[in-house]
Amino acid sequence: MERRPTIIDVARVAGISKSTVSLVLQNSPLVKDETRRLVREAMDKVGYVYNRAAANLRSSNVGLIGLVINDLRNPFFTEFATSLQMALSARGYATVVANTDEDPAVQAQVVGAMIEHGVSALVLSPAYGDDGGVFDAIARGGIPTMQVLRKVDPRVEQFPFAAPDYRLGSLLATQHLLSFAPRRIAFVGGLADRAVTRERMTGYVEALAEAGMEPFVLSGRASRTFGSEAADELARTHPEIDAAICFNDLVALGMLSGFARLNRKVGQDFRMVGFDDIEECSQVFPTLSTVHCGIAEFGQGIAATILGWLEEGKRPEPETFTAVELVIRDTSGLGDVP
């Protein structure tokens, strides 16, 4: 890892004294706006990140972990964040949680702030669209960091990645649907240009290839709204499709609503499997078959892994994939749906 830039480097590039740079970092009213601009530009140029808690970090572990999530509105990510935070709390660590709402600019802002305030480690479920700047900044800070649930930076030796085994999940779901001899199975939801969509499709594509069936992919946002729209589109333009695997449970729940509006009986006329197993899957009618990712246990495992790295120097494996299982409920044939 290259040497971390210092305040002296900033002063040299800005052409001012170290003490003036310090005044800027402390937001002193004595410094002119033009000087502030010069210092900020120099900081960006050399890659300097001001760490307010650097002195404390040198003398002791402050026990602060940064957790950055791409979409806390999704119950899947909320359960992960809650599980991780509670597990860290049980070990005496506080968690700073930020939602980026899939915005790489927001991600850069919150990660920068967390570094500046002296987090001991970072756990990121990263937003797509970052040009690598966020992870470069983390690398310069030398902060132990894990990517979870979705991999954005390929440097897994430096930023280890962990997720449920998405490939196996879609493979199990597709094999289950194939057992009913459907005419055609769709994969619904997920943006086509995202790696996590491809990962969740891999087992689906493999199982269909083995069965000699052509895949049909209906890409879109991982939301209930898109799921409802997808139900309309499939019924209107692709009546031959009588089964689907959804990118996540939100898409599947939206499809349930859409098919209910069309008086199409899911579990009989159309079989469907979601992905993630959020709590609502077992509460809706008909109950939703889905791929159970054990997200609460996954969060606890990530907490143990990051603390092992911090406290014992046990660097995680570059890539870790945890167990998944298929949960069969009403939407794919567990009993009769009236």
Side-chain angles (χ1 to χ4, degrees):
M1 187 178 294
E2 61 187 60
R3 179 180 70 86
R4 183 177 181 176
T6 68
I7 192 173
I8 296 174
D9 298 317
V10 176
R12 175 177 50 79
V13 171
I16 58 178
S17 68
K18 175 185 172 183
S19 59
T20 302
V21 174
S22 294
L23 289 173
V24 172
L25 295 176
Q26 295 164 22
N27 292 319
S28 170
L30 302 176
V31 183
K32 296 178 180 179
D33 289 342
E34 175 63 17
T35 303
R36 292 181 192 279
R37 184 185 63 77
L38 288 172
V39 170
R40 296 298 176 187
E41 290 178 353
M43 288 171 65
D44 289 342
K45 186 172 183 178
V46 304
Y48 177 79
V49 177
Y50 178 44
N51 190 335
R52 299 183 194 277
N56 290 336
L57 283 175
R58 283 193 293 269
S59 61
S60 65
N61 190 328
V62 298
L64 192 65
I65 309 295
L67 173 59
V68 181
I69 300 292
N70 57 292
D71 182 12
L72 276 175
R73 293 186 180 90
N74 186 330
F76 177 70
F77 293 106
T78 306
E79 186 173 358
F80 165 71
T82 301
S83 174
L84 176 68
Q85 185 229 322
M86 296 308 294
L88 290 172
S89 179
R91 294 278 296 272
Y93 286 76
T95 309
V96 181
V97 184
N99 174 54
T100 65
D101 215 24
E102 297 286 11
D103 187 332
V106 173
Q107 177 173 271
Q109 178 190 49
V110 299
V111 169
M114 287 180 179
I115 296 173
E116 185 175 314
H117 284 82
V119 294
S120 301
L122 285 163
V123 177
L124 271 70
S125 177
Y128 287 104
D130 177 64
D131 61 1
V134 164
F135 286 94
D136 289 343
I138 294 169
R140 288 192 294 269
I143 299 169
T145 299
M146 288 190 69
Q147 302 178 80
V148 295
L149 302 175
R150 36 172 40 189
K151 179 174 62 179
V152 169
D153 194 293
R155 294 171 287 181
V156 292
E157 294 287 345
Q158 189 169 7
F159 307 113
F161 170 66
D165 192 339
Y166 298 142
R167 173 199 162 273
L168 177 60
S170 63
L171 180 68
L172 294 174
T174 308
Q175 290 173 340
H176 168 62
L177 291 175
L178 284 168
S179 71
F180 295 99
R183 294 189 298 273
R184 200 167 186 191
I185 304 173
F187 186 95
V188 181
L191 297 179
D193 61 345
R194 292 185 174 176
V196 68
T197 304
R198 295 191 293 272
E199 290 160 9
R200 289 192 171 204
M201 281 180 54
T202 300
Y204 160 79
V205 172
E206 290 177 4
L208 289 192
E210 186 175 342
M213 184 180 291
E214 283 293 315
F216 179 89
V217 178
L218 189 57
S219 300
R221 292 188 63 82
S223 67
R224 290 174 187 257
T225 299
F226 176 74
S228 179
E229 294 169 350
D232 288 334
E233 181 171 345
L234 291 178
R236 185 178 65 256
T237 63
H238 298 281
E240 78 282 5
I241 293 176
D242 55 357
I245 296 170
C246 296
F247 172 81
N248 68 7
D249 292 332
L250 296 182
V251 173
L253 291 169
M255 288 188 71
L256 270 182
S257 297
F259 282 136
R261 189 174 58 251
L262 298 170
N263 293 317
R264 192 170 189 182
K265 294 182 178 179
V266 177
Q268 294 181 4
D269 302 337
F270 192 98
R271 300 185 190 273
M272 181 167 60
V273 179
F275 212 119
D276 291 338
D277 199 19
I278 63 176
E279 183 178 4
E280 193 173 349
C281 295
S282 62
Q283 306 301 318
V284 294
F285 181 83
T287 56
L288 179 64
S289 297
T290 187
V291 175
H292 178 75
C293 293
I295 196 61
E297 296 80 7
F298 180 80
Q300 293 163 6
I302 294 300
T305 300
I306 204 75
L307 293 184
W309 192 355
L310 277 176
E311 297 178 350
E312 303 171 35
K314 295 181 180 178
R315 176 180 284 273
E317 292 294 321
E319 292 188 316
T320 301
F321 300 100
T322 57
V324 299
E325 62 178 320
L326 180 65
V327 178
I328 301 172
R329 299 191 180 104
D330 293 339
T331 60
S332 66
L334 182 63
D336 294 327
V337 180

